Amino acid sequence: MKSIIYLLILGLLVPITTSLGEDSDWPQWRGPQRDGWIKGGPKLAESFPRSGPPQLWSIDDIPASREDGGYSSPVISKGRLYLFLSRSFDVELKEYTIDDKVLRKVGWVAKFPSASLIEKIEKARTGSERRSLSGRELRLWVNSWIEKEFQSKEDRKFRGFASNRFWDGNSAIDIETLKKLGSLKGKTFSSDKELEALLDAQGISRSAQRKLKDGVRTSSQRYEDVVLCLNAHTGDQIWKRTWPGGSSYTSSTLIIQDGKCFGLSSSQEAFCLDLKKGDDVWRTKVGNSHSSPLVHDGKVVFFADNLVCLNSTSGDIVWRLKEVKGREGSPVLWTHNGEDHVIIASKKEIYCVTLEKGELLWKEKTGGMSTPSVVGDQLVFLTDDKNKGLTSFKLTKTGAEKLWFQPDIYDRGASVVVKEGYIYGVGENQSACVKLSDGSIVWKGRPGRGNISSPIIVKDKLISVIGGKALTVLKATPEKYELLNKSRVRGARCVSPSISGGKLYIRLQNGLSCFDLRAKPEID
């Protein structure tokens, strides 16, 4: 469901829209220059109501979680918004099957212990000592009993069986019934009524039937990858592309470049779509990834189990570095003496690789899930290590020389923004402005707890979604810590906002919204 806010002008309902020029596009992860900073655009308002800035439109049923939707950020190009989703949903089955998994849930095993061992287990299970225990005391008793009674190698094969029966206690299904249920393995049925008739014919009690039904799978989980193309002014759908997805979600953000849409799917493919209708240009099997691709000089670079480079025109693999492993990190470009290099961080290391040939020049032992920032020959990286925090290196062809580290700010995955000699970050513990030259704290404050979501800077405003609970705007200048606004906007955790033409695009917990941050909204 989509809603649009309208203004009443001269008796007519006119939708609030504005032109999104190319100079204000946000076409990839972390914006036009991949650094989280947009220099142009209209003047933004200094404050908003606590309920949040004006909402121009909102769309429901766009979840953002590991289970459904993933955590990719929207991108905007030439008045269109593009978003990748990895969806999961249940499909009702026409036939249900009593399989191994169903039977094991109720305590059945393919091979039962000997009659004497079963008698010993059942006597302990129904005894007064077991009935008096629960929680930690029960766990200690179970472990002690099994250790004492299961002496032979054959008996020890049934430790799991005994443990499950002890934990089930009086609710455990009796052994004879379990054996009867085992005879139904592989049977199929199409309704509860048919299942009941099947179980009644075997003389299965109602209580055992209820336990079995609870374990029967009546639906199958399906996965689908989706690319949405929306009108960025109104939220109206222009096109939607879907294909079968994989069982693991992905949080890769799309990139719009050279008239095409590049991305990474949950089905372990890199893909390129045309922008007119979303048709395939190419697809290449690459591996698992949460990386947001970089496109430069005819090449597409990203993590997909390893560092991979594809030809942007054909999708062919140009190079792949098996020794550079990772899934979460996203690459940035470092140009030194006219040669382009890829800088990318894994959970434990930062790597420098030549773009042209994929030659690994060096690696540095510091890591995390955030995206590095490169300014000239200086690298800045926000780690999740409380002892290292924000770390800076001088980049050379032969290695990275540590310049300083600032432990007062850290985060599990948020990236920082570097603007005019100062670093601005929203960390897990606090927000801070840090001097680029020496890492000294200029100011710090606590507008709320950040968590993986990366902030952005528009002119002199630092905008972030805090902990899925609030939208905050700080003054992005070194003079002092100044919280300009904190609004109740429930953005999705782990998802970073995007901005274009003074309009902020945020994934909510189950939706996508566009907010107007402009000081003077235009009508056209």
Side-chain angles (χ1 to χ4, degrees):
M1 178 181 176
K2 178 171 69 67
S3 58
I4 305 176
I5 310 301
Y6 290 86
L7 288 183
L8 185 63
I9 300 177
L10 300 178
L12 298 175
L13 284 174
V14 180
I16 301 177
T17 62
T18 186
S19 299
L20 296 177
E22 292 181 55
D23 60 333
S24 67
D25 283 351
W26 193 274
Q28 63 177 324
W29 168 240
R30 306 208 70 217
Q33 303 303 318
R34 214 171 173 86
D35 58 4
W37 180 23
I38 193 166
K39 303 171 182 65
K43 182 180 179 181
L44 304 187
E46 291 298 316
S47 63
F48 307 105
R50 280 193 58 78
S51 58
Q55 187 182 79
L56 301 182
W57 55 259
S58 184
I59 301 174
D60 297 332
D61 194 29
I62 298 182
S65 71
R66 291 173 63 94
E67 292 75 25
D68 189 11
Y71 296 123
S72 66
S73 297
V75 297
I76 301 93
S77 177
K78 298 182 179 179
R80 291 185 173 191
L81 180 148
Y82 302 85
L83 179 64
F84 175 82
L85 303 169
S86 52
R87 300 297 311 265
S88 65
F89 50 93
D90 289 332
V91 176
E92 290 296 319
L93 297 174
K94 293 181 179 179
E95 276 193 339
Y96 317 139
T97 303
I98 300 176
D99 56 18
D100 274 7
K101 191 174 181 180
V102 172
L103 292 170
R104 285 197 300 270
K105 283 183 178 179
V106 297
W108 174 85
V109 287
K111 180 182 178 182
F112 283 87
S114 65
S116 60
L117 185 56
I118 286 177
E119 184 180 0
K120 187 187 292 187
I121 292 170
E122 293 302 283
K123 184 177 179 180
R125 177 180 68 84
T126 58
S128 58
E129 187 177 8
R130 158 61 187 91
R131 288 198 300 270
S132 66
L133 301 173
S134 62
R136 181 174 179 273
E137 290 181 339
L138 175 58
R139 183 174 69 252
L140 293 173
W141 178 83
V142 169
N143 293 339
S144 175
W145 193 94
I146 290 174
E147 184 67 27
K148 178 183 176 182
E149 300 294 338
F150 283 17
Q151 296 296 319
S152 72
K153 185 177 179 181
E154 182 64 24
D155 286 352
R156 285 196 290 272
K157 292 179 182 179
F158 299 100
R159 286 177 296 186
F161 173 81
S163 178
N164 289 337
R165 293 195 69 75
F166 289 150
W167 278 97
D168 285 346
N170 288 334
S171 67
I173 296 175
D174 68 86
I175 300 297
E176 290 307 310
T177 298
L178 285 179
K179 291 179 178 179
K180 287 181 181 179
L181 290 174
S183 68
L184 302 177
K185 180 183 171 183
K187 297 287 186 182
T188 60
F189 54 96
S190 56
S191 66
D192 279 353
K193 194 171 182 180
E194 189 177 335
L195 175 60
E196 284 178 13
L198 191 65
L199 296 174
D200 285 343
Q202 293 291 324
I204 307 299
S205 68
R206 290 299 178 187
S207 61
Q209 287 192 25
R210 284 193 294 272
K211 290 194 76 171
L212 185 75
K213 285 179 182 178
D214 287 343
V216 171
R217 191 161 56 104
T218 59
S219 63
S220 174
Q221 194 166 32
R222 301 290 173 85
Y223 304 92
E224 183 178 73
D225 286 344
V226 180
V227 175
L228 290 174
C229 175
L230 310 178
N231 184 311
H233 312 303
T234 64
D236 292 328
Q237 182 176 299
I238 298 172
W239 53 258
K240 177 182 179 180
R241 182 68 202 283
T242 65
W243 61 86
S247 58
S248 62
Y249 79 104
T250 184
S251 295
S252 174
T253 294
L254 303 169
I255 176 169
I256 310 300
Q257 192 157 321
D258 302 328
K260 299 182 182 70
C261 172
F262 300 87
L264 296 162
S265 73
S266 70
S267 51
Q268 301 187 26
E269 291 179 319
F271 60 86
C272 176
L273 310 178
D274 77 72
L275 297 184
K276 189 175 181 180
K277 294 182 180 179
D279 293 334
D280 279 355
V281 177
W282 52 256
R283 286 179 179 272
T284 303
K285 202 78 172 177
V286 290
N288 290 305
S289 180
H290 299 290
S291 181
S292 297
L294 165 71
V295 179
H296 183 77
D297 196 24
K299 297 177 178 63
V300 189
V301 185
F302 50 86
F303 260 150
D305 295 325
N306 314 107
L307 187 60
V308 182
C309 176
L310 306 182
N311 182 293
S312 64
T313 301
S314 64
D316 294 336
I317 295 178
V318 178
W319 49 259
R320 181 171 199 143
L321 290 183
K322 292 185 177 180
E323 66 268 38
V324 180
K325 302 179 185 296
R327 292 181 180 178
E328 285 82 8
S330 297
V332 293
L333 199 67
W334 171 49
T335 302
H336 181 73
N337 292 335
E339 185 179 10
D340 292 328
H341 306 78
V342 174
I343 303 292
I344 192 165
S346 69
K347 289 182 178 180
K348 295 183 179 180
E349 294 174 308
I350 293 179
Y351 301 93
C352 177
V353 176
T354 61
L355 177 63
E356 184 64 27
K357 296 183 179 180
E359 179 186 358
L360 175 60
L361 298 182
W362 51 259
K363 58 184 178 181
E364 178 68 30
K365 282 195 172 183
T366 188
M369 293 191 294
S370 71
T371 302
S373 295
V374 175
V375 181
D377 290 336
Q378 186 173 350
L379 179 146
V380 179
F381 185 72
L382 185 61
T383 75
D384 57 3
D385 188 331
K386 296 179 182 180
N387 297 315
K388 294 180 180 178
L390 183 65
T391 306
S392 181
F393 299 90
K394 180 181 178 181
L395 300 176
T396 71
K397 294 270 290 184
T398 57
E401 175 191 339
K402 185 176 287 187
L403 298 174
W404 51 258
F405 70 95
Q406 175 51 259
D408 278 3
I409 179 172
Y410 55 86
D411 193 84
R412 289 193 299 148
S415 306
V416 296
V417 186
V418 183
K419 171 181 176 275
E420 297 171 348
Y422 295 90
I423 306 162
Y424 298 87
V426 178
E428 190 174 332
N429 58 332
Q430 64 184 351
S431 298
C433 172
V434 177
K435 201 169 183 180
L436 178 63
S437 59
D438 60 13
S440 59
I441 293 284
V442 179
W443 55 251
K444 55 187 176 181
R446 298 179 185 273
R449 182 179 177 182
N451 191 356
I452 298 179
S453 178
S454 297
I456 61 177
I457 287 182
V458 183
K459 295 186 175 179
D460 64 345
K461 307 234 174 2
L462 180 70
I463 302 167
S464 60
V465 178
I466 296 290
K469 296 179 180 179
L471 172 68
T472 66
V473 182
L474 301 177
K475 195 79 168 177
T477 59
E479 281 74 25
K480 63 178 180 177
Y481 169 77
E482 186 176 355
L483 177 62
L484 299 175
N485 193 80
K486 187 172 183 178
S487 307
R488 290 190 296 270
V489 175
R490 293 195 173 277
R493 291 179 179 274
C494 307
V495 177
S496 302
S498 306
I499 194 163
S500 181
K503 296 179 180 180
L504 190 70
Y505 300 88
I506 299 177
R507 287 185 69 180
L508 309 179
Q509 292 168 7
N510 190 37
L512 171 69
S513 286
C514 174
F515 296 94
D516 196 347
L517 304 190
R518 296 170 296 174
K520 295 182 179 180
E522 302 169 5
I523 308 296
D524 56 30

